[in-house]
Amino acid sequence: MEDDGGLVEKRIDRFVRARLRPAVHRASVSLRAGAGIPEAVAEGYRLNLPLCSVTGVRAARVDPLIEVDHPAVMVEAVKLAEDRSGDLIVRLYEAHGSRVRVRVIRHFAATDATETDLLERPLTAPRAPFAADGSALTIELRPFQLVTLRFARR
């Protein structure tokens, strides 16, 4: 009897190579010599969320819904609440590893602001003390602290 082990091995090898071909992955990398945390955060946003232009818009500038007055605080998300109430959810965090006091200024009508967890449920005890002053909140953040605020709409 003839040994056909080599033939079977070749067929299996061809089958495996055809179906388990490695996928092509592409990654963008940025190296910035001498960068500290603030520069690394700015470079990460520049690389991963590049500015995009929109055509057909009449306004030369669109005013933001939320502004912060401290460069270490990043507004990560502004969205409508998941419960479809019309409330606005704002998620922000301290990105430089320091304690900061920041003013969060809203440019829309709201009746109340509460701190929530990531699932948008009100917290019984706020983790980030804040004080309201008209259309601005002053919040104290710990290093790298993430805060989710819910603004009740009028």
Side-chain angles (χ1 to χ4, degrees), residues 4-82:
D4 62 348
L7 180 61
V8 171
E9 189 174 303
K10 286 180 184 176
R11 285 183 182 164
I12 290 174
D13 186 46
R14 194 174 346 147
F15 174 81
V16 169
R17 272 189 281 139
R19 281 162 182 75
L20 299 179
R21 192 168 289 131
V24 176
H25 298 279
R26 289 192 172 88
S28 297
V29 177
S30 176
L31 179 63
R32 187 163 173 193
I37 292 176
E39 295 83 12
V41 169
E43 183 66 14
Y45 275 97
R46 185 197 65 77
L47 183 66
N48 294 311
L49 296 171
L51 292 176
C52 58
S53 60
V54 179
T55 59
V57 177
R58 291 184 188 154
R61 174 171 152 56
V62 177
D63 292 328
L65 292 173
I66 294 287
E67 286 184 275
V68 292
D69 71 350
H70 200 289
V73 177
M74 305 300 291
V75 176
E76 187 62 24
V78 177
K79 65 184 201 84
L80 291 174
E82 291 293 325

Side-chain angles (χ1 to χ4, degrees), residues 105-123:
I105 304 152
R106 63 175 167 76
H107 298 286
F108 58 91
T111 57
D112 191 22
T114 55
E115 187 179 356
T116 68
D117 62 12
L118 290 174
L119 297 175
E120 303 172 8
R121 298 176 299 208
L123 296 177

Side-chain angles (χ1 to χ4, degrees), residues 65-67 103-110 113 131-138 151 154:
L65 292 173
I66 294 287
E67 286 184 275
R103 287 188 61 209
V104 178
I105 304 152
R106 63 175 167 76
H107 298 286
F108 58 91
D133 177 26
S135 65
L137 296 176
T138 302
F151 291 92
R154 291 184 181 164

